[in-house]
Amino acid sequence: MKVTVYIGLCLAMLVAFGSCSKDRGNYDYIQLDSINIDVSDLAASYSMLRFDTLKLNPVVTYKGEVVNPAAPQFEELSFAWEMYPSSLNPSILEKYTLDSTIGLKAIMDKKEAIWELLFTVTNTKTKIKAFAKFAVAITPSLAEGWMVLYERNGHTDVGMIVNNEISKTAVTSERVLLDIYSNSNNAPMAGTPGSIIYSLVNLTGAHKLYIQSGGEAVSVNPSTFERIDNFESIFWTTPAVKAPQLVHVTERRKEFMINNNRLHVIDYTILGNGRRAFEDALTGNYGSLAPWMATTSGAAFDAVLYDQTNKKFMKVVARGNELIPFTTVQNPTAAFDVNNVGMTFKFADLGWNYWEHFIMADAAGKHFLLTADFRTGEIATIGKGKYDMSNSPEIADAVAMATGYYGEVCYYSSPSSLYQFRYTAGITDKLWTVPAGEKITNISLQKYYNTNPASGRFYDPKNICKILYIATYNEQTQTGSVYQMQVNQSSGAIIPDTQKRYTGFGKIKEMAWKPFIIL
């Protein structure tokens, strides 16, 4: 019976299709005129401060004519701008209609989040539609940018530069924000500047931005810079001596502070909810610690530091509670012995192959570039390179260094000049001279402590190692400036005609990238 039914249905369908194929009747067909939206002159994504005005002017073409945005000549066309939350913000349910014109001019007064903006053109007769979509990040005033830590009148404050070389979403206008910390907390930080870093180790949220000066160490809300903890509350038990020297974050999901030459840690690999704070100091037998920690290391280490007194590296083993020397005897083929470096630490940065790069000086004042691999673990050849910098101009007067990930890119600066040391060839090139009346105080490349970067992720900057910053100070006007320029990330060469200048800061000590993440 079922077979008969199926066969009957098939025969009926064949007859129907056959009748259609023989039908030569006259019918009216509507030719559908295409609608085209040209957004080639617009960005795909935008970053807007809340309450700023977004202006977008797409070009709509219909029946071969550009539609007049001021007075559309085709009455059958309708236009709509709608905004709804991105999938990155599932807790937001609102949807808004912003306008019914071709050009958009709308105040971005919605919640601080990432939104999708949809422009729709509809032919009301045929119901044919064309679409254009944009991503819009409505941000706090203090979103993604390049942070500048500086001294003003003996105190510490923070500024920020926001432009399209830094922000991953299009910025409609460049900004320089000054005295952010003091404006958010009614006073600057006590003491001269030390370190600043945005921490992402708490993967579940509650990210913090740490700022350290010679007289204070605080965590602040990344969106507002309002203080969360000061020195007295940032520890479980406040140390008897208040002498912060460094705040640092590593890929091992740990936050560190050196205070009064003692190392404290917050371990986010320990699962748990609630408040986190720096623990009691780790123990160990060592001398004066340099204001540095390795950014990345193998699973065998929680931390790597440098003992300035005994001129050797120290380690903290995984889940360890003391600073101890490296235990593996180093092979004679190693470029240097981590247990007997014999030099004074000057500067450091993470560089090629994600090896740590150091400028150090021996007892005779001779300078060297050292490279070390702490990522592989406690191997017998941690010391990878030792390069003589004796012939490098002004190396004895160097004030800062910066190294890139993707090539033999090693910059150092004196107060008057920027140099690149091409260490394999042993050649130093002068790349930049400071303007009259100014002195270089710091240099930095645009990057972050994450060594597994990917394009477009919120916790990785754009233009990694492609943007160089040179901080200068004019003693007469007591004004700090930042010169931003594009560089070739492989060769280190400065790209001509890319320099920009931002000014109004104090005397700049440190610079760092601040990601934009709305939690």
Side-chain angles (χ1 to χ4, degrees), residues 490-505:
S490 299
S491 71
I494 295 174
I495 298 174
D497 303 319
T498 61
Q499 179 174 298
K500 298 180 179 180
R501 181 175 182 263
Y502 303 93
T503 193
F505 310 100

Side-chain angles (χ1 to χ4, degrees), residues 123-156:
N123 185 324
T124 58
K125 292 182 178 179
T126 65
K127 308 304 180 184
I128 298 297
K129 297 183 179 184
F131 305 91
K133 189 166 70 170
F134 308 86
V136 178
I138 298 180
T139 72
S141 297
L142 308 171
E144 185 174 13
W146 187 251
M147 297 184 293
V148 181
L149 186 69
Y150 53 86
E151 175 187 354
R152 196 191 297 280
N153 299 323
H155 300 287
T156 293

Side-chain angles (χ1 to χ4, degrees), residues 37 60 66 140 173 233 260 262 264 299 325 329-330 355 357 361 363 385 413 453:
I37 303 174
V60 177
V66 174
S173 60
S233 62
N260 192 34
R262 306 286 298 278
H264 301 259
V329 176
Q330 295 295 287
W355 291 348
H357 288 49
S413 65

Side-chain angles (χ1 to χ4, degrees), residues 144 168 448 450 452-454 456-462 464 513:
E144 185 174 13
K168 288 186 289 295
Y448 198 41
N450 177 33
N452 185 30
R457 292 195 302 203
F458 287 116
Y459 47 88
D460 288 315
K462 68 186 291 189
I464 298 175
W513 176 66

